[in-house]
Amino acid sequence: MKDVMGVINVVGRNSDLLGALTGPRCIASVPFGGKYRLIDFVLSSMANSGMQNVAVFTREKYRSLMDHLGSGKNWDLSRKQDGLIILPPHSCDGQSLPDFDLKSFFAHRNFFDRSSQKIVVVASANIICNVYFREAVRYHQETGADITVFYSEMVANEGGPPRRCLKVNETGRVLELVERQSWDQGTKVLLEIYILSKSLLMNLAEKSFLPGGADLLTGGIIPNLQKFNVCAYPLKGYSAVVDTIDLYYRHSMDLLCPQVWEELFFIPGLIHTKVKDEPPTRYLEGSAVANSLLANGCTIAGTVENSILFRGVRVHRGARVKNSVIMQKCEIGEGALVERVILDKDVRVSAGKALTGHDKKPLVVEKRKIV
Amino acid sequence: MVLDKECVAMLLAGGEGRRLGFLTRELAKPAIPFGGKYRIIDFTLSNCTNSGIYTVGVLTQYKPLILNSHIGIGIPWDLDRKEGGVTILPPFAQEKGGKWYRGTANAIYQNLFFIEQHNPRYVLIVSGDHIYKMDYSLMLKYHQEKGADVTIAVIEVPWQEVHRFGVMDVGEDGRIITFSEKPKTPPSNLASMGVYLFNRKLLQKYLQKDEENPLSRNDFGRDVIPLMLHEGCRMFAYPFHGYWRDVGTIESLWEANMDLLAAEPALDIYDHNWRIYTVNPSQPPHFLAATARVEQSLINEGCIIHGTVQRSVLFTGVRVGEGSLIEESIIMPYVRIGRNVQIKRAIIDENTVIRDGCRIFSRSDTEPPQIILVEKSMIIQENTEISM
């Protein structure tokens, strides 16, 4: 893997996708799964696969992302040679900031030129997965593909945000990438993870100033399906794309399935995140917790069901938390009821208050609110 | 608060912990897991960092591998520094051959060159065996205010236990009048916590003297402190009020863990202004299944619980199967417990597998109760009963 570098793409179309959750931050640093941020899954996969050079391309609202990533030490990417680098927006024509990934790659072409690696794995930050990229890179080399695109065979879907579905021939070459809103069981759905050579990526980046050519997928890959040998690689194991509040909620709840928990967090490697040094979670007399995921540092005196609690949450006596995602350091007051809600960090729900979301839509409460 | 270089801490971590049975078969006492997440030495190391002491020598001797890899270069405690930081000081060979550390004083004596390297005014000597939170910078301030040569931290202990400690008779101004190690008729119930603050030059002088005395056992409590007192050094007792435990036995280790489960624990590990740092394995949040019931317990990350857990401490990555009942027990990292298992008043050491239907319990009702200890990396076959 000495010859492979990682690019995590936080530029472009996904800056405000999660409403209130992406109000104060970019999508890559949206908290997920009790102690993680969305970017941790792809970043840990890259680090666990042995990549030593990983660049995170950002565009806006990246302060919390920088704070989270730090020097990259938590992913073992604080290195003398290469390591983790955050590449903020950088104008390439001296005027506007790049709004598409290829333009951003072009603006930072010196970084690519100076990197010794010849193969690049480009991935979106909002994919929940645990991947061993070594196998995928081997597949890429064995098939002799120009570009390898990842897909997963998703369960049948109706509605929701449109996804690109793959049409593949018998040799695994991608013929079409069609946008659809519903599909049947077993359809190959694109995950925005690509493997290609650095020279090809730079080539596409240079052409990003031609009309319609600024986005790697829609400007670089789709128009060139005939020209390039684009191959499909199946991502095995749990995977999910988080790009709406509904999907954020639904995929958070997926973690309450023990099989998903066992698979996603352990196989093939562990998911790393910023260390917070919280003590173990403390359950007091009278606590009743079932079917829930709890990070460290919580103090629980009340009832918690079908929920995900991040680090340092306090649930007071008589409080009930149901079907909810409660982020870091929230406090649920005595006798309060919280149902079908997503509480962003540091929210305080006063004693006796009831907060319930709709059957179809969870209620999202912004960071640091007092309810 | 910059105490660095002004004060160097020497942390004694060579203890064998003989009365802890096979818990210390492969590791030194300071490396024993505690509180669902920590090792005992984390408390002292965190005290150093939180007190602003960033130069720490850790003296190891007995089975140091786990301790060494735990401490590493000191990253979790912010002790990875360009200058100072943490240095592990094992016994070493010299021109005249190798020498083990013969006693606490000899261990420091053999490392005087390490202290000299940093040229501090004060040397803090602490033990890695104790569980407590203490701000050493306040002790240093006291030491300076009193114009002391040596300051010893003291805590009031119950009279029936005094005979286990170094005990002091202290004047009204805090000056130590007598010091006796494990006395039969103690003059007070003020026990030494094994936390000593020395003026460095004086420490050097007396360690030299102690070394030259062939009758000395080279121990601070038994030899160096009485000698200094005898020769008229200004020695003061620094009163400490708070939680402090020397967990010397299986029962006291169990009790100290249970102390964390009180409604208002005397040792607050949730204080964000005085965090206890340790190595963090990248484990996911723990999962309590629909059938789980957990009360009055501490559960660390990476656990998956289907059964009932009451008044217990579960370390990283423990699994508890459906229908199992864990009460008043300490379950060390990565223990796998099957279905319909009952465990009461036991310590299950790391990586042990307990298969379905086992019963492990202590009927003891002494205070503290006798505790069953199940060794590490064992496989306990189905329906085994272990009781006493």
Side-chain angles (χ1 to χ4, degrees), chain A residues 226-272:
Chain A
Q226 259 91 56
K227 189 171 158 199
F228 298 135
N229 179 14
V230 179
C231 286
Y233 180 80
L235 196 150
K236 305 259 166 54
Y238 180 83
S239 67
V241 179
V242 175
D243 52 6
T244 64
I245 287 276
D246 286 350
L247 287 176
Y248 175 88
Y249 181 77
R250 196 202 297 170
H251 296 313
S252 291
M253 292 302 152
D254 285 351
L255 303 177
L256 300 180
C257 165
Q259 287 77 23
V260 172
W261 186 89
E262 300 258 7
E263 198 176 275
L264 178 64
F265 293 123
F266 296 95
I267 302 163
L270 295 165
I271 306 298
H272 309 288

Side-chain angles (χ1 to χ4, degrees), chain B residues 31 38 43 55 111 117 127 133 188 218 256 284 309 322 334 356-357:
Chain B
Y38 309 98
F43 289 85
T55 306
N111 286 290
Q117 232 179 25
S127 161
K133 298 190 328 188
S188 78
N218 307 115
V309 178
E322 212 174 316
Y334 306 107
D356 296 355

Side-chain angles (χ1 to χ4, degrees), chain A residues 173-184:
Chain A
R173 181 165 175 171
V174 180
L175 303 175
E176 270 185 283
L177 282 162
V178 197
E179 203 164 54
R180 285 203 218 141
Q181 264 188 303
S182 56
W183 54 83
D184 303 327

Side-chain angles (χ1 to χ4, degrees), chain A residues 63 75 126 130 145 170 179 202 232 355:
Chain A
R63 197 205 65 225
W75 296 266
N126 60 335
N130 192 343
E170 63 285 353
E179 203 164 54
M202 287 299 97
L355 216 56

